[in-house]
Amino acid sequence: MAIRFKNTFTRKKEEFVPIESGKVRMYTCGPTVYKQAHVGNFRAYMFEDLLRRYLKYKGFEVTQVMNLTDVDDKTIRDSNAQGIPLKEFTAPMIKEFFEDIDSLGIERAEVYPAATDHIPEMVALVKALIDKGHAYEVDGNYYFKISSFPNYGKLSNLDMAGLKAGARVAADEYEKDSVSDFALWKAWDEADGEVYWETELGKGRPGWHIECSAMSMKYLGNHFDIHTGGEDNKFPHHENEIAQSEAATGEKFVNYWLHNGYLIAEGRKMSKSLGNDYKLRDLLSRGYSKVAVRYMLISTHYRQQLDFTLDGLEAAGHSLERYNDFISNLSDYPGGKSDGTAQGLIDKALSAFEESLDDDLNISGALAAVFDFIRDVNRLKGEDKLSAEERDEALKTIRRFDTVLNFTYDTGDIDEEIEQLIAQRTEAKKNKDYALADKIRDDLTARGIILEDTPQGVRWKRKI
Ligand code: AMP
Ligand code: ZN
């Protein structure tokens, strides 16, 4: 079955047909690295993780590009306010971003271009727009002339009638009621401090929107398959990306536009300015597991609003316990006498899982298929009606689901390190170094690992 996506551009659910058979090229607007990302931001990256993992599950070769916005109004404002050079200011934020996506089991994209490394490409694009009559200069600033691009407003369904011709906006972010010619390149002014480039356009720096057009087309070509982002990126950012790219190349830019809904907390969009932003690190230090945050972020359909609550995280933990216990108990099961029904259950689960995700990534349906499967196989196992071969098939099936869901990464990967620490603790106890033994236990507890001293030796389990 083919995958269908709700395309923001056409407002329809459409069958996904890649430009090049078997391959998918996709672009994701990445973080603006002026502050630590909150879990709302990770909702966007988690949706893109589900998308890329499912495309790979379906056999596509995926090339994903995610940019790092390391120069824009906000990074310049905050680095100057703190008196730190831009690159030094953004470096720790970039490092933390990668640590956080690893924590959440988000697969790395193929390319992470930083805007500051692509200034020549942006300048070339602005020049192409000037040459074709789509851009003009005012006092060293270059603006895109939206009246020169008849398709302007199609993505966000704007009514362009009654627009004031020639109105200009210099800020990177603005609301729909300020639809105007927007800045491609901004001349240096004092507030920019040391942040500028001397280029053929003069001394200045790029606008935010041109960054994504230049970097996406550099790595994916002028025309590629999928572009994603949070719904707040639709206008003006993605609208402007389309205008700049298509006006410069004369080609279609993107076939499918996919946007995720907001993560909300206490009834409002999670954002730093509202003070309702939870950081991943804070949640982890409060004892919630990484994979519970992953589960919570992935388990609501990407286009719907996701209500973030600590109770939701607890519930995610219980579902994960069921999932991971299923795998470990089934692995330990020696097998019984088949009643011939297991294969039917496996086939049913696989097709329900795929039919759901094929339908615009319907994750609720997919998770229901997985948990029904767990219940059914547990029942067969409980009645001793599952053969060793069927057990292996069932394990293969859940591992196949897990290539998309990735709910086991937080249990397996660190086994070896934990075993080593436990061995060190046993050794410390033998040497009567109880202080060290207690410290190792406390460190492990802080990481959510619970030790049990049993007559057979030390056993450990992860608090989910
Ligand atoms: P930013 O770093 O602000 O450019 O945002 C990075 C990504 O996170 C963008 O795709 C935003 O649309 C997305 N985003 C920001 N806040 C939220 C939220 N509360 N819920 C979902 N996505 C968000
Ligand atoms: Zn972007």
Side-chain angles (χ1 to χ4, degrees):
M1 269 285 285
I3 311 181
R4 276 157 294 126
F5 292 129
K6 170 95 187 281
N7 187 349
T8 310
F9 194 87
T10 57
R11 282 161 273 280
K12 286 197 195 90
K13 220 181 255 185
E14 296 171 349
E15 185 172 316
F16 175 66
V17 184
I19 296 167
E20 202 180 328
S21 171
K23 299 194 172 162
V24 180
R25 284 174 285 139
M26 63 185 223
Y27 186 84
T28 296
C29 286
T32 307
V33 282
Y34 75 109
K35 61 169 175 121
Q36 204 182 79
H38 55 66
V39 289
N41 299 122
F42 288 111
R43 178 172 199 208
Y45 310 129
M46 191 61 77
F47 143 59
E48 288 134 6
D49 188 54
L50 172 64
L51 173 62
R52 76 172 265 132
R53 283 174 180 275
Y54 190 57
L55 287 165
K56 287 171 82 171
Y57 176 103
K58 294 286 281 186
F60 290 105
E61 188 187 307
V62 175
T63 306
Q64 181 189 10
V65 176
M66 183 189 284
N67 73 299
L68 303 169
T69 304
D70 62 347
V71 55
D72 79 319
D73 291 353
K74 292 185 277 195
T75 43
I76 294 175
R77 178 195 66 200
D78 291 2
S79 66
N80 282 333
Q82 294 179 30
I84 306 173
L86 186 66
K87 279 264 188 199
E88 263 175 56
F89 171 77
T90 56
M93 242 81 73
I94 293 173
K95 184 168 164 281
E96 282 183 1
F97 170 73
F98 283 113
E99 286 168 4
D100 285 352
I101 58 171
D102 288 348
S103 272
L104 290 172
I106 292 176
E107 201 166 69
R108 295 276 180 115
E110 279 61 34
V111 195
Y112 288 97
T116 51
D117 296 332
H118 295 80
I119 304 295
E121 287 84 349
M122 297 166 200
V123 171
L125 199 53
V126 176
K127 284 179 63 190
L129 290 169
I130 299 166
D131 289 347
K132 294 187 173 179
H134 294 289
Y136 60 93
E137 190 224 321
V138 181
D139 300 332
N141 296 308
Y142 291 81
Y143 294 92
F144 185 90
K145 189 174 174 182
I146 58 173
S147 61
S148 74
F149 186 72
N151 275 339
Y152 193 86
K154 287 262 164 30
L155 176 74
S156 36
N157 215 7
L158 289 178
D159 180 7
M160 301 294 289
L163 215 67
K164 265 196 282 160
R168 287 188 296 273
V169 57
D172 283 337
E173 290 180 75
Y174 50 91
E175 300 297 323
K176 275 190 185 165
D177 49 16
S178 332
V179 179
S180 327
D181 291 356
F182 58 91
L184 299 163
W185 181 263
K186 308 187 196 192
W188 180 84
D189 71 28
E190 257 164 49
D192 292 335
E194 295 302 308
V195 183
Y196 62 84
W197 285 263
E198 295 276 10
T199 72
E200 288 173 65
L201 300 173
K203 177 178 172 177
R205 44 111 176 178
W208 170 38
H209 315 295
I210 198 78
E211 297 181 4
C212 281
S213 285
M215 290 186 279
S216 59
M217 293 197 290
K218 169 164 181 173
Y219 294 99
L220 298 171
N222 293 350
H223 178 205
F224 56 92
D225 298 295
I226 303 176
H227 196 312
T228 65
E231 66 178 288
D232 52 342
N233 284 162
K234 230 186 305 179
F235 182 86
H237 186 49
H238 292 163
E239 198 70 72
N240 293 352
E241 275 189 49
I242 295 172
Q244 297 160 150
S245 305
E246 297 192 354
T249 66
E251 293 174 54
K252 189 171 173 64
F253 179 43
V254 167
N255 283 355
Y256 302 87
W257 287 89
L258 272 56
H259 291 100
N260 64 276
Y262 292 139
L263 180 138
I264 55 168
E266 290 129 32
R268 298 159 87 182
K269 179 190 174 197
M270 182 173 285
S271 78
K272 191 183 175 192
S273 54
L274 292 173
N276 62 350
D277 57 327
Y278 284 87
K279 302 286 165 25
L280 177 63
R281 279 148 210 267
D282 297 339
L283 293 172
L284 301 185
S285 67
R286 287 166 72 166
Y288 296 100
S289 75
K290 303 167 188 177
V291 67
V293 182
R294 177 179 175 86
Y295 188 99
M296 194 236 2
L297 290 174
I298 212 170
S299 56
T300 294
H301 189 270
Y302 74 93
R303 284 192 181 264
Q304 281 169 17
Q305 259 188 14
L306 162 59
D307 206 349
F308 174 86
T309 61
L310 296 178
D311 286 349
L313 268 184
E314 295 274 343
H318 296 312
S319 301
L320 285 164
E321 210 164 83
R322 233 177 117 218
Y323 185 96
N324 282 295
D325 283 354
F326 171 74
I327 298 174
S328 54
N329 295 338
L330 192 60
S331 308
D332 290 344
Y333 176 62
K337 190 170 174 329
S338 165
D339 74 350
T341 59
Q343 193 57 50
L345 292 178
I346 290 172
D347 295 343
K348 187 179 86 174
L350 278 167
S351 60
F353 181 80
E354 290 172 23
E355 271 168 31
S356 299
L357 291 177
D358 280 346
D359 182 16
D360 195 29
L361 302 176
N362 173 1
I363 188 71
S364 316
L367 288 175
V370 170
F371 283 100
D372 283 354
F373 172 71
I374 289 175
R375 182 202 59 213
D376 291 346
V377 173
N378 274 340
R379 184 182 43 77
L380 279 185
K381 179 163 76 69
E383 294 168 0
D384 240 356
K385 290 177 180 164
L386 194 69
S387 71
E389 291 76 33
E390 288 167 337
R391 171 204 62 202
D392 292 345
E393 270 309 302
L395 282 169
K396 227 167 83 186
T397 307
I398 191 105
R399 290 203 182 103
R400 189 153 161 65
F401 293 149
D402 204 59
T403 61
V404 179
L405 303 172
N406 198 25
F407 289 160
T408 52
Y409 71 98
D410 201 20
T411 42
D413 296 356
I414 54 165
D415 286 15
E416 216 172 291
E417 191 198 340
I418 289 168
E419 297 292 352
Q420 273 174 16
L421 285 169
I422 291 174
Q424 274 175 28
R425 176 171 167 268
T426 309
E427 189 62 28
K429 273 170 63 171
K430 229 168 66 193
N431 298 334
K432 302 207 172 356
D433 186 351
Y434 297 111
L436 178 62
D438 286 349
K439 184 178 177 324
I440 293 173
R441 175 196 280 267
D442 292 347
D443 288 350
L444 286 169
T445 309
R447 290 170 60 182
I449 307 295
I450 298 159
L451 299 188
E452 287 169 344
D453 288 306
T454 73
Q456 291 80 35
V458 183
R459 293 172 60 152
W460 67 272
K461 65 178 192 178
R462 170 164 280 278
K463 179 179 170 295
I464 296 190

